[in-house]
Amino acid sequence: NKVREFINNIPILRNIFVKIISPFTAPILFLIDILSFKKFKRRKRYNEWKKNNPEEIYSLSNNLKIRISDNKLSASKSLIILKGNYEQNETFLLKQIVKEGWNILDIGANFGWYSLHFSKMVGNNGNVYAFEPIKQTYDELKSNLALNNATNVKTFKFALGNKEHETNFGVPFFDGGSAASSQHLSFSKKVKIPVFPLDKIFDQEDIKKVNLIKADIEGGELNLLLGAEKVLENHKPKIFIEIVDMHCNRFGYKPKDIFNFLIKKNYEGYYIGNEHSEIKQNFNEKDLIKPDVNNLPNGNYLFF
């Protein structure tokens, strides 16, 4: 992280570093996972929690419940490791922005953190459409939705992209959710996944409106937007999206390509932060940062 922080401040070095390293992201994370002493601390904390919570259900302060999975792909164990502070700034910010009755797309829903929170935010008059293509993770998502009786969430077990096709998704071999499943991911088990453009799904499902799109799909974000041109033009939803240079490079584009695409659609983009950002109990729109488009920090962004 210290090396990355230094390199990220020098755009030329950063571009070279990303191009060289990004094809090997998964094996590098696998090596770090093996060698890290923090791994044993995390496992110890998780095992202690599991011993005291045999049902393996984590309760949040807003009465949501999440079943913690031992599935190596699941990011749900992060709730125990981070003591519930999972994307706290982002969740607090979205609570202020999302209105009752909204329609929201959760693309890359994983174990359901955002789908569950969105379900409560939009209420009975709103809808959440959750997309998660990997079977084990999809099953975990469905389980958490059922646990919370989130009947206003509809789920889809496929990926979204710029065209309809079938592709190989790489499923990481190691534990922890640090390298989520993604296309073009080396050192991984390959799984065939169907991909559809969002514009087609919108028509098929007869979705009348969308107010917010949340996307965390490990580099597939630009393809998602390219396959959603009609949705963006007709509905002008707010967009909460992750942009990470390593992931973008595997798909053959740069982070600024996402930014420039949305700027042409009359959007303005702001940086929220990443896992290393200071956690604020009352994070709001005033804390958003207007970034340098030519050297975008890795993390989560909000576009209006």
Side-chain angles (χ1 to χ4, degrees):
N1 288 331
K2 288 180 180 177
V3 171
R4 279 284 271 153
E5 188 178 345
F6 171 74
I7 289 173
N8 283 351
N9 291 322
I10 308 170
I12 295 174
L13 271 184
R14 180 182 182 183
N15 288 337
I16 295 170
F17 178 84
V18 168
K19 197 161 283 292
I20 293 171
I21 298 297
S22 61
F24 308 103
T25 306
I28 288 170
L29 287 172
F30 178 67
L31 185 62
I32 291 171
D33 187 58
I34 291 172
L35 298 176
S36 175
F37 287 108
K38 287 183 179 179
K39 173 187 177 180
F40 299 103
K41 289 183 179 179
R42 292 195 300 265
R43 174 55 64 175
K44 183 180 178 184
R45 182 183 293 174
Y46 172 61
N47 287 337
E48 286 174 353
W49 177 86
K50 194 174 176 181
K51 185 177 178 181
N52 296 322
N53 297 271
E55 293 184 353
E56 298 184 58
I57 293 175
Y58 190 91
S59 298
L60 300 173
S61 57
N62 60 358
N63 296 322
L64 286 175
K65 293 179 172 60
I66 293 171
R67 183 171 283 107
I68 306 301
S69 171
D70 232 349
N71 172 13
K72 66 175 179 159
L73 290 178
S74 176
S76 63
K77 289 190 286 294
S78 299
L79 294 175
I80 311 304
I81 295 160
L82 299 173
K83 299 180 180 178
N85 294 328
Y86 184 86
E87 303 220 341
Q88 185 170 310
N89 289 348
E90 289 84 348
T91 305
F92 193 92
L93 174 65
L94 290 167
K95 281 181 181 177
Q96 299 171 71
I97 292 172
V98 174
K99 308 297 182 189
E100 188 175 350
W102 273 21
N103 276 11
I104 297 177
L105 310 184
D106 183 0
I107 303 168
N110 204 277
F111 66 90
W113 174 268
Y114 282 109
S115 289
L116 290 169
H117 281 84
F118 288 149
S119 174
K120 285 180 72 77
M121 292 177 202
V122 303
N124 293 331
N125 295 321
N127 297 282
V128 180
Y129 301 88
F131 298 81
E132 179 49 56
I134 303 299
K135 183 184 185 306
Q136 302 98 305
T137 313
Y138 178 84
D139 291 344
E140 186 182 356
L141 168 67
K142 291 281 285 184
S143 172
N144 282 322
L145 293 173
L147 182 65
N148 291 274
N149 194 31
T151 55
N152 59 349
V153 181
K154 184 170 183 177
T155 58
F156 302 86
K157 194 172 64 174
F158 52 78
L160 294 171
N162 59 335
K163 60 183 178 181
E164 184 174 344
H165 66 292
E166 191 175 65
T167 189
N168 283 322
F169 258 59
V171 179
F173 291 121
F174 63 96
D175 192 12
S178 339
S181 302
S182 172
Q183 287 175 267
H184 315 302
L185 189 67
S186 61
F187 196 68
S188 60
K189 175 186 174 184
K190 298 300 187 287
V191 179
K192 287 281 187 187
I193 296 293
V195 182
F196 299 95
L198 181 58
D199 284 339
K200 179 172 184 176
I201 300 305
F202 225 75
D203 292 338
Q204 280 183 188
E205 294 295 320
D206 195 27
I207 301 172
K208 300 298 183 186
K209 65 172 183 175
V210 58
N211 305 95
L212 172 71
I213 295 174
K214 169 261 171 184
D216 181 355
I217 48 178
E218 306 295 307
E221 289 82 9
L222 182 59
N223 285 344
L224 161 70
L225 296 172
L226 290 169
E229 296 237 29
K230 285 199 302 183
V231 170
L232 297 180
E233 289 170 10
N234 295 337
H235 299 272
K236 299 175 174 57
K238 292 175 175 58
I239 300 171
F240 166 45
I241 196 167
E242 184 188 55
I243 303 176
V244 175
D245 53 13
M246 293 285 188
H247 302 330
C248 295
N249 188 75
R250 289 202 305 271
F251 280 77
Y253 67 90
K254 296 181 184 299
K256 69 177 181 181
D257 294 334
I258 295 176
F259 228 89
N260 290 334
F261 175 86
L262 288 171
I263 286 172
K264 288 178 182 176
K265 301 285 185 190
N266 297 317
Y267 277 89
E268 287 189 9
Y270 297 89
Y271 180 62
I272 303 172
N274 58 30
E275 61 186 313
H276 306 297
S277 299
E278 177 190 356
I279 293 175
K280 297 183 180 180
Q281 298 296 329
N282 58 347
F283 194 94
N284 57 52
E285 288 184 44
K286 292 179 182 178
D287 294 306
L288 294 172
I289 299 166
K290 192 73 174 173
D292 174 4
V293 178
N294 292 312
N295 195 36
L296 296 170
N298 290 321
N300 291 319
Y301 288 79
L302 190 63
F303 288 85
F304 297 93

